[in-house]
Amino acid sequence: VSYRAGFFGPAERIMLGEGANIELVPGGFRQFAPILRRYAPRVMTAQATPPGPDGAVNLSLHLGATYDELVMAGQDPDRLLIVEVNPNLPRTCTLSPDFTNTIDLGLIDVVVEADGTPYAMPPTVPDEIDEAIADRACSFVTDGATLQIGIGATPDMVAAKLAGGDGGSYGIHSEMFTDGLMQLHRAGKVTNDAKTLFNGVSVTTFALGSSELYHWLDGNDQVAFVPVQVVNEPSVIARNHAFVSVNGALRVDLYGQVVADSIDGKQISGVGGHEDFVAAAELRLDDHSLICLRSTAVVDGTTRSRIVPLLPEGSVVSTPRHHTGIIITEYGAADLSGLTVRERAAALVDIAHPAFRAELADVAATLGRS
């Protein structure tokens, strides 16, 4: 079996380490609908809840870019639609009648019954560095802001601080729904009433987190699962009020190029919707894209700066410099919007770890001169 993966998550990394034949297709999450249409795989599979009284299975935790192709496979006598149904999966909601996240049982060629526990993301353990970064990120979030929060210790800490803070009336428009966003809901901080689009409901396209999150999502009409072609469309995202995107990164160079999914030849995640949300936040003055990362990382026992003079040969850029907004480390926030090459390099030097600033400053002084 060869597996073409659009994203490397924990399961893909584990299987790859065990010798499985897995290769990444480097497409953005939104692009996977046309990629699937082009390839039209003979066999399509999905996980879902058992059929309800309406005779349809619910696609539960993932709507994404696959819905249309799943239906087309079910309608085509030369293709095969296999659905694994599991009563332990939550039955999630959508925005009817404009969207659906169910498939009629009559379209499915093979139903496989399962009763395993859905994969739960191991909890992150933030430390004082994550807390310092989160404090700086929260300073960009105003009452009524619409939030997209990514995966990782720092985004989780941002959500936790907002949940326990004085602000509120937030809206949610996020590719991924996380435990942190559940915390915000439970704290009464989410109203979705300031959004200009999908008012009154949190919008997402897939969820990944704890078993507690999955239980909370079951039948919860406060959260709507919508196709990724809508959720991740920059022009749609930009219509939200005071939009703030919070994501992580692995490395940033002095030009502002962001490495977020692959480092030193190792695939960590995937393109996903990183660039879509970063780009969307450029379109209005009250929007912010926050790229959060620790200033250093320890590699083979050596401490290295995550802000580097230039990206090493072979680096894969997740977000190009012309989309990068605000970079945050535990030492500060560098807003690169409107800055020249030299100015943004100097701003990034200022938020690097002090042990590496002199080396970075020497290179920064040479940029933008030719």
Side-chain angles (χ1 to χ4, degrees):
V1 174
S2 62
Y3 176 25
R4 292 178 180 226
F7 197 88
F8 267 45
E12 286 79 9
R13 293 195 295 270
I14 290 170
M15 290 190 291
L16 188 66
E18 294 175 347
N21 183 13
I22 301 177
E23 295 186 75
L24 179 76
V25 177
F29 203 173
R30 264 191 313 139
Q31 284 76 48
F32 265 82
I35 287 173
L36 282 170
R37 186 80 294 274
R38 184 173 295 115
Y39 279 92
R42 192 182 73 82
V43 180
M44 290 288 294
T45 68
Q47 288 184 311
T49 66
D54 58 354
V57 302
N58 181 287
L59 292 175
S60 188
L61 297 171
H62 187 278
L63 186 53
T66 58
Y67 182 83
D68 288 344
E69 205 62 34
L70 289 168
V71 171
M72 288 181 186
Q75 293 171 336
D76 188 338
D78 294 324
R79 299 174 70 184
L80 196 65
L81 176 58
I82 303 172
V83 176
E84 180 185 88
V85 296
N86 187 335
N88 297 315
L89 287 170
R91 182 172 289 271
T92 57
C93 299
T94 187
L95 292 175
S96 301
D98 295 324
F99 307 105
T100 179
N101 64 341
T102 64
I103 295 178
D104 189 83
L105 192 62
L107 284 177
I108 303 170
D109 297 299
V110 178
V111 174
V112 179
E113 294 184 337
D115 62 358
T117 302
Y119 175 82
M121 179 72 73
T124 56
V125 183
D127 59 18
E128 67 278 1
I129 295 178
D130 296 310
E131 185 167 0
I133 297 171
D135 281 335
R136 297 184 186 281
C138 288
S139 69
F140 291 92
V141 180
T142 58
D143 285 357
T146 305
L147 304 172
Q148 178 260 322
I149 293 183
I151 190 171
T154 299
D156 281 348
M157 178 64 80
V158 171
K161 284 186 172 292
L162 292 174
D166 295 330
S169 300
Y170 303 127
I172 306 297
H173 185 114
S174 188
E175 170 187 274
M176 174 181 176
F177 204 92
T178 64
D179 281 70
L181 296 178
M182 175 182 68
Q183 279 185 269
L184 276 175
H185 267 272
R186 285 180 163 175
K189 300 294 184 176
V190 177
T191 61
N192 287 301
D193 57 5
K195 291 164 64 176
T196 53
L197 193 65
F198 306 128
N199 190 275
V201 65
S202 292
V203 169
T204 190
T205 198
F206 79 99
L208 182 61
S210 66
S211 297
E212 183 180 6
L213 171 65
Y214 303 156
H215 179 76
W216 183 79
L217 285 170
D218 189 33
N220 191 337
D221 62 5
Q222 297 177 67
V223 181
F225 285 68
V226 174
V228 72
Q229 297 94 307
V230 177
V231 177
N232 287 26
E233 167 57 49
S235 62
V236 172
I237 298 167
R239 291 172 61 186
N240 285 299
H241 171 70
F243 177 71
V244 180
S245 171
V246 183
N247 289 293
L250 301 169
R251 182 180 282 163
V252 177
D253 75 359
L254 293 179
Y255 284 106
Q257 299 181 106
V258 177
V259 171
D261 68 294
S262 175
I263 193 164
D264 297 332
K266 183 178 181 181
Q267 194 65 43
I268 304 298
S269 55
V271 177
H274 194 278
E275 187 180 356
D276 288 331
F277 285 93
V278 171
E282 301 174 304
L283 303 179
R284 289 166 49 111
L285 287 175
D286 62 348
D287 294 348
H288 299 295
S289 163
L290 312 180
I291 302 294
C292 302
L293 73 164
R294 301 163 76 96
S295 65
T296 61
V298 177
V299 181
D300 297 329
T302 301
T303 300
R304 299 182 182 179
S305 177
R306 285 190 163 184
I307 295 178
V308 297
L310 301 171
L311 293 180
E313 184 178 355
S315 295
V316 177
V317 174
S318 304
T319 300
R321 62 178 182 169
H322 59 276
H323 283 326
T324 308
I326 300 169
I327 306 292
I328 298 177
T329 73
E330 67 269 32
Y331 292 102
D335 187 347
L336 306 186
S337 302
L339 300 188
T340 67
V341 170
R342 291 170 56 195
E343 289 169 341
R344 60 173 46 204
L348 287 166
V349 171
D350 287 344
I351 65 168
H353 190 284
F356 297 95
R357 288 181 190 170
E359 172 191 351
L360 290 166
D362 287 343
V363 178
T366 69
L367 301 184
R369 294 287 187 178
S370 59

